[in-house]
Amino acid sequence: MRSLPLPLTLTARLSPVAVLATVGWALSSGPLAPAPAAGREPAPTRTATQSPSAPSASAASKTYTTAPAPCQGVGEKTVGTLVPGAKTAGKEIPSTDRTTRRTCTWNALKGYDYRWLDVTFDITDSADYAHRSYLDRITEKSGGGAVPGLGDEAYSVVNLTTEDKQQTREGVVIARADNALVVVTYNGSDFESKKAPGTDEINKGAIKAAKEAVAALGKDR
């Protein structure tokens, strides 16, 4: 099989050093960035009183106290379907506090098809705090829509990017279950056609992984 040059962004994903650097960015300033400091108000266009699923002002529940093992948050069958060729055990990314935040990643290049899946569990101090963080995150990821029946509230968005004529389509699902946030990122590219997987494929894949991850929250309680 002939080899093809990889776009810079996707080549970086295949380098362990670059992977850690990418995750570092995601945890510090990207979609996985820490929730806003207590007292910060949500975006003006979305407030707790305006959201039909917002917790009451007095809510201070903390159903979840620790983040579950992230690499067990998605079943082996699902990993095999979404990321063909990947080691189903996944790779956990180092965290400064494994009690409150844990992330697992799977990625593989099978033939000319590349897929990448990340799952992050973020445990906050209360449902209200998690809700405000959820609103901030979906405001940053505008253009998507609600996902009914997933946690207490959930949102998904899919975007297409092109670099060096290579397309990559990425889906992100952000779900809240009480005081826990689950963030799933799923993307893919085809190096032979230079095209990306369809929007429906990426969106459904990300939602499927998110449903399993949310269900895993209660397993370590």
Side-chain angles (χ1 to χ4, degrees), residues 21-34 93-96 101 103 120:
T22 300
V23 173
W25 166 84
L27 295 179
S28 63
S29 59
L32 308 184
I93 303 303
S95 173
T96 55
R101 173 172 291 162
T103 298
T120 292

Side-chain angles (χ1 to χ4, degrees), residues 32-208:
L32 308 184
R40 175 181 172 184
E41 294 298 324
T45 56
R46 288 190 176 115
T47 66
T49 56
Q50 291 172 329
S51 172
S53 57
S56 65
S58 61
S61 62
K62 191 172 182 179
T63 300
Y64 307 105
T65 57
T66 59
C71 295
Q72 297 176 21
V74 179
E76 292 185 359
K77 183 178 179 180
T78 298
V79 171
T81 300
L82 298 183
V83 193
K87 294 181 179 180
T88 55
K91 177 180 176 60
E92 184 167 357
I93 303 303
S95 173
T96 55
D97 187 349
R98 298 177 74 228
T99 299
T100 59
R101 173 172 291 162
R102 296 180 72 176
T103 298
C104 188
T105 184
W106 298 262
N107 64 86
L109 178 64
K110 185 174 183 180
Y112 296 103
D113 289 326
Y114 177 76
R115 295 293 185 275
W116 175 290
L117 174 67
D118 276 352
V119 174
T120 292
F121 294 97
D122 197 354
I123 307 301
T124 70
D125 289 335
S126 69
D128 183 66
Y129 192 92
H131 173 69
R132 287 184 285 124
S133 177
Y134 168 84
L135 293 179
D136 283 339
R137 294 173 192 232
I138 68 174
T139 298
E140 293 174 358
K141 294 284 185 181
S142 61
V147 182
L150 179 55
D152 293 311
E153 52 192 341
Y155 174 89
S156 71
V157 62
V158 179
N159 289 305
L160 177 68
T161 60
T162 302
E163 183 170 334
D164 298 332
K165 299 182 179 180
Q166 174 68 61
Q167 293 182 344
T168 299
R169 183 166 271 116
E170 179 172 277
V172 176
V173 175
I174 304 168
R176 181 185 70 83
D178 201 85
N179 65 303
L181 289 173
V182 175
V183 181
V184 171
T185 302
Y186 179 51
N187 61 46
S189 299
D190 185 318
F191 293 151
E192 184 172 36
S193 67
K194 297 289 186 180
K195 301 296 183 181
T199 299
D200 197 48
E201 176 186 341
I202 293 297
N203 190 46
K204 286 183 176 180
I207 292 174
K208 179 176 178 60

